[in-house]
């Protein structure tokens, strides 16, 4: 994994976006650039395969030559230190799958514009020898601009399985159109089953691209035109004609095209070596220059469009694929060993200096403790004298609960949640987050080490999450101009939360939208997209990792995406990171930090 601030192929790593089967993806910036780009670093095994390596350079060269306004531009590609890489311009915008899942199917006008844009991109790609057998909704990036939307198709530049059918792209586009119109709930080929208000001609048009290749349309563009006519009549033709113009937003009024790229790319030798590409004259070339000959680093030809790529596109897997690193790793420095994992050396925050008040505080706490003990004994005695077996059991349970975790008293939570069988039954805001003096994020048995925290964030002084007794967190204001914050924290849950770990985790998620931070955001019920169980190295302790979103309405922000780790420590503990759906930088940072959380598994 590359680290923030590190240089690779002359590009500075700004942040980590994700790790998955396709490779590692990062937000990067080239020297002198004003905007970030996305770097995909392919797995080492790909570069070691001569056949794949040759195919990669051939496909990337063709993708870099595409100049259709609906194609996400390939900014650069090459080989560095034995690793194949490709860079695309970064564009913070949602994809069509996200929009449909959140807001429902596209309108006929929106579908017409989207399909026409993708069709133009596919036809140009096919002329360059690139045939797409699949066009996933997550590959269609939707850019909201004044007057309307722009549609960009990502995923070009990395080898994919090829379909011998030269018109396979039409079938793929038909599947995309069906998804946009029905939200993925189509029955067979009949879109009108789910959208009875649409003309029956829509079914016939989409059904044709599922026939044998010879019976399909002459091109993806012809299919898009036929679908436009079926959906909108004669008015659809104007949209098809306009949507593939680089200066037109459809539907809506024309806007100025984006400024030409100013990002600088490094030059490289004519053949790949182990030497840094950037050492051969960083800043000597501009993105968009005529490429040198393969197999050296290759860059797009002159005139490449200034349209962006997108985190979440093919080759840019969702962040958080990296398994968490928990507990002791058995390495020098006190991270545990054969005797059982434990905290790293120096895990606990240093004790505060004694300014003369420490002894007085201790004396006061001792006095309060003695008084509490006297009250409890008196209460037990009084109940015993009145003779009630059930009452005695309740008092004993209450006494045990109230003294089992003296460092985390229930009173730290503003109003104690109702707990049944060790699981909370109602939502209660926890104690406000207070940043500790430790360079790490520390809360009882859980920590995120300082080296895994994002840089440039600020202390969280007052944020509230469900149930937390203690918490330590940081925040950053992003996206710019949205009056929104990304947050990262660790915390401990009440000692009474001893029940089913999964039920506790899901109740925590359920309560997120009711927290004070979501006031006036029209927050909806939280959605869990993924859940898995893990165990710290060398331990059978259960750790749950949940990923999902809290739908909201705040300008361009449609959800707060979260990653939650819930550990079966004593007391139960959590690590939580969340960021706006249109803030992939923060999303990547918090996801990585949560994945590196460490929990105490020993005594």
């Amino acid at each position: 994994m590359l680290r923030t601030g590190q240089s690779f192929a002359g590009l500075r790593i700004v942040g980590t976006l994700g790790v998955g089967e396709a490779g590692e993806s990062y937000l990067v910036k080239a020297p002198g650039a004003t905007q970030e780009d996305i770097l995909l670093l392919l797995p080492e095994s790909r570069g070691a395969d001569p056949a794949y390596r040759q195919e990669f350079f051939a496909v990337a060269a063709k993708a870099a030559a595409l100049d259709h306004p609906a194609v996400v531009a390939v900014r650069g590609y090459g080989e560095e230190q034995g690793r194949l890489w490709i860079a695309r311009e970064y564009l913070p915008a949602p994809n069509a799958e996200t929009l449909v899942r959140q807001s429902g199917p596209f309108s006929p006008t929106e579908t017409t514009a989207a399909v026409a844009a993708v069709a133009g991109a596919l036809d140009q790609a096919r002329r360059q020898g690139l045939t797409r057998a699949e066009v996933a909704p997550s590959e269609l990036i939707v850019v909201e601009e004044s007057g309307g939307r722009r549609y960009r198709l990502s995923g070009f530049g990395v080898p994919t399985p090829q379909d011998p059918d030269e018109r396979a792209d039409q079938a793929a586009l038909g599947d995309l159109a069906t998804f946009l119109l029905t939200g993925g709930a189509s029955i067979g080929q009949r879109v009108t089953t789910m959208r009875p208000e649409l003309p029956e001609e829509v079914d016939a048009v989409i059904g044709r691209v599922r026939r044998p290749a010879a019976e399909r349309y002459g091109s993806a563009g012809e299919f898009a035109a036929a679908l436009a006519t079926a959906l909108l009549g004669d008015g659809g033709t104007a949209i098809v004609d306009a949507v593939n113009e680089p200066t037109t937003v459809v539907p809506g009024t024309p806007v100025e095209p984006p400024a030409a790229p100013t990002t600088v790319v490094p030059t490289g030798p004519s053949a790949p070596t182990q030497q840094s590409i950037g050492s051969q004259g960083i800043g000597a070339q501009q993105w968009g220059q005529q490429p040198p000959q393969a197999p050296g680093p290759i860059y797009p030809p002159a005139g490449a469009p200034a349209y962006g790529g997108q985190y979440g596109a093919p080759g840019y897997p969702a962040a958080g694929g990296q398994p968490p690193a928990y507990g002791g790793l058995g390495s020098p420095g006190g991270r545990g060993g054969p005797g059982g994992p434990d905290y790293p050396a120096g895990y606990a925050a240093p004790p505060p200096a004694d300014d003369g008040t420490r002894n007085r505080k201790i004396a006061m706490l001792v006095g309060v403790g003695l008084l509490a003990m006297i009250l409890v004994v008196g209460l037990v005695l009084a109940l015993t004298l009145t003779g009630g077996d059930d009452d005695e059991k309740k008092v004993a349970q209450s006494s045990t609960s109230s003294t089992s975790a003296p460092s985390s008293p229930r009173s730290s939570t503003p109003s104690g949640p109702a707990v049944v069988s060790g699981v909370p039954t109602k939502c209660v805001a926890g104690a406000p987050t207070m940043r500790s003096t430790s360079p790490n994020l520390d809360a009882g048995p859980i920590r995120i080490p300082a080296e895994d925290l994002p840089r440039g964030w600020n202390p969280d002084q007052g944020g509230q999450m469900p149930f937390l007794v203690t918490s330590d967190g940081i925040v950053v204001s992003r996206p710019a101009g949205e009056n929104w914050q990304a947050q990262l924290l660790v915390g401990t849950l009440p000692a009474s939360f001893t029940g089913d770990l999964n039920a506790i985790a899901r109740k925590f998620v359920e309560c997120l939208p009711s927290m004070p931070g979501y006031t006036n955001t029209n927050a909806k019920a939280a959605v869990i997209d993924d859940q898995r169980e893990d165990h710290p190295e060398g331990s059978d302790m259960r750790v749950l990792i949940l990923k999902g979103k809290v739908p909201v309405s705040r300008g361009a922000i449609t959800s707060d995406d979260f990653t939650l780790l819930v550990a079966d420590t004593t007391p139960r503990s959590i690590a939580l990171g969340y960021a706006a759906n249109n803030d992939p930088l923060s999303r990547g940072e918090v996801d990585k930090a949560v994945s590196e959380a460490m929990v105490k598994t020993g005594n």
Side-chain angles (χ1 to χ4, degrees):
M1 291 289 294
L2 303 178
R3 290 275 184 183
T4 300
Q6 184 177 345
S7 179
F8 182 87
L11 304 171
R12 180 172 60 85
I13 307 300
V14 177
T16 302
L17 294 179
V19 182
E21 294 182 1
E24 305 162 16
S25 54
Y26 302 92
L27 199 63
V28 298
K29 181 176 283 189
T34 58
Q35 297 180 343
E36 291 86 4
D37 299 296
I38 291 180
L39 168 71
L40 173 66
L41 191 60
L42 277 63
E44 293 184 27
S45 59
R46 302 287 175 85
D49 182 345
Y52 184 91
R53 182 177 177 279
Q54 182 177 7
E55 184 182 9
F56 168 78
F57 279 105
V59 170
K62 293 176 181 178
L66 299 177
D67 61 358
H68 191 276
V71 171
V72 168
V74 172
R75 301 282 273 167
Y77 60 95
E79 185 175 25
E80 170 83 348
Q81 301 175 8
R83 302 288 296 273
L84 299 175
W85 63 272
I86 187 167
R88 298 180 175 97
E89 186 180 4
Y90 162 62
L91 180 66
N95 60 54
E97 181 178 21
T98 298
L99 291 178
V100 169
R101 299 300 187 200
Q102 292 178 346
S103 306
F106 279 23
S107 69
T109 299
E110 292 169 336
T111 301
T112 296
V115 171
V118 174
L122 293 176
D123 283 343
Q124 186 184 86
R126 183 149 62 97
R127 291 192 292 271
Q128 295 286 345
L130 298 173
T131 301
R132 296 278 291 267
E134 180 179 355
V135 180
S138 60
E139 298 170 344
L140 178 60
I141 312 307
V142 183
V143 184
E144 300 283 356
E145 297 184 356
S146 58
R149 291 175 168 178
R150 289 183 182 272
Y151 298 92
R152 300 286 174 264
L153 180 61
S154 62
F156 292 105
V158 176
T160 58
Q162 293 294 305
D163 193 313
D165 176 7
E166 67 174 8
R167 297 184 183 180
D169 53 358
Q170 290 187 40
L173 187 56
D175 291 341
L176 175 66
T178 300
F179 178 87
L180 297 179
L181 288 169
T182 67
S186 62
I187 300 176
Q189 297 182 4
R190 296 188 60 81
V191 170
T192 56
T193 301
M194 301 303 299
R195 296 284 297 273
E197 77 278 12
L198 297 179
E200 293 185 358
E201 289 81 1
V202 173
D203 291 327
V205 171
I206 294 178
R208 181 172 171 179
V209 298
R210 296 192 172 102
R211 298 177 188 172
E215 299 180 27
R216 298 174 189 168
Y217 296 92
S219 66
E222 287 187 20
F223 163 64
L227 181 63
T229 300
L231 286 170
L232 301 173
D234 294 340
T237 304
I239 293 179
V240 173
D241 292 341
V243 77
N244 290 312
E245 294 294 331
T247 59
T248 304
V249 176
V250 179
T253 57
V255 299
E256 293 298 321
T262 58
T263 312
V264 180
V265 298
T267 61
S270 59
T273 68
Q274 295 300 310
Q275 182 181 15
S276 170
I277 292 175
S279 66
Q280 298 294 315
I282 294 177
Q285 294 180 316
Q286 296 288 325
W287 293 85
Q289 148 174 354
Q290 183 65 29
Q293 294 296 313
I298 302 176
Y299 306 98
Y307 301 116
Q310 167 64 16
Y311 164 59
Y316 293 87
Q322 187 77 359
Y326 308 106
L329 303 179
S331 60
R335 285 183 175 259
D342 206 336
Y343 291 105
Y347 181 93
D354 186 359
D355 60 358
T357 63
R358 186 165 182 262
N359 290 335
R360 292 196 299 273
K361 291 180 180 179
I362 293 174
M364 181 178 66
L365 290 174
V366 170
V368 172
L370 289 174
L371 178 60
M373 183 178 298
I374 292 171
L375 291 174
V376 171
V377 171
L379 180 60
V380 172
L381 181 59
L383 291 173
T384 301
L385 292 175
T386 59
D389 292 340
D390 290 339
D391 288 340
E392 285 181 1
K393 292 179 181 178
K394 291 179 181 178
V395 169
Q397 293 169 356
S398 176
S399 176
T400 301
S401 173
S402 65
T403 59
S404 61
S407 62
S408 302
R410 184 186 294 270
S411 60
S412 294
T413 303
S415 57
V419 178
V420 176
S421 299
V423 177
T425 60
K426 69 176 183 179
C427 297
V428 175
T433 299
M434 298 300 292
R435 182 70 176 102
S436 71
T437 58
S438 170
N440 315 297
L441 289 185
D442 285 304
I446 191 166
R447 122 179 312 187
I448 298 178
E451 59 267 25
D452 296 312
L453 298 177
R455 302 294 182 260
W457 287 44
N458 303 309
D460 185 356
Q461 303 289 359
Q464 287 183 284
M465 289 291 113
F467 310 125
L468 295 184
V469 175
T470 61
S471 57
D472 188 6
I474 54 178
V475 297
V476 67
S477 294
R478 292 179 186 154
E482 293 285 357
N483 192 26
W484 202 263
Q485 286 188 329
Q487 185 171 6
L488 175 66
L489 62 93
V490 294
T492 58
L493 295 168
S496 57
F497 284 24
T498 57
D500 180 70
L501 193 67
N502 179 67
I504 293 173
R506 288 182 168 266
K507 189 65 178 181
F508 188 99
V509 171
E510 177 189 327
C511 294
L512 284 174
S514 64
M515 292 301 101
Y518 288 114
T519 302
N520 298 324
T521 66
N522 195 29
K524 305 297 184 183
V527 178
I528 298 175
D529 297 323
D530 181 67
Q531 178 175 334
R532 62 185 175 91
E533 181 173 329
D534 212 324
H535 301 274
E537 182 178 346
S539 170
D540 59 359
M541 176 186 289
R542 293 181 66 207
V543 176
L544 301 181
I545 300 97
L546 298 86
K547 295 184 178 181
K549 61 179 70 71
V550 177
V552 298
S553 298
R554 174 64 71 84
I557 301 173
T558 57
S559 70
D560 235 359
D561 296 353
F562 66 83
T563 299
L564 171 66
L565 181 153
V566 183
D568 193 14
T569 53
T570 304
R572 299 285 178 68
S573 57
I574 66 105
L576 172 65
Y578 56 88
N581 63 293
N582 61 345
D583 179 15
L585 172 58
S586 298
R587 285 163 51 196
E589 288 178 332
V590 301
D591 202 90
K592 177 181 181 298
V594 171
S595 75
E596 298 296 335
M598 303 180 68
V599 294
K600 186 173 183 178
T601 56
N603 294 324

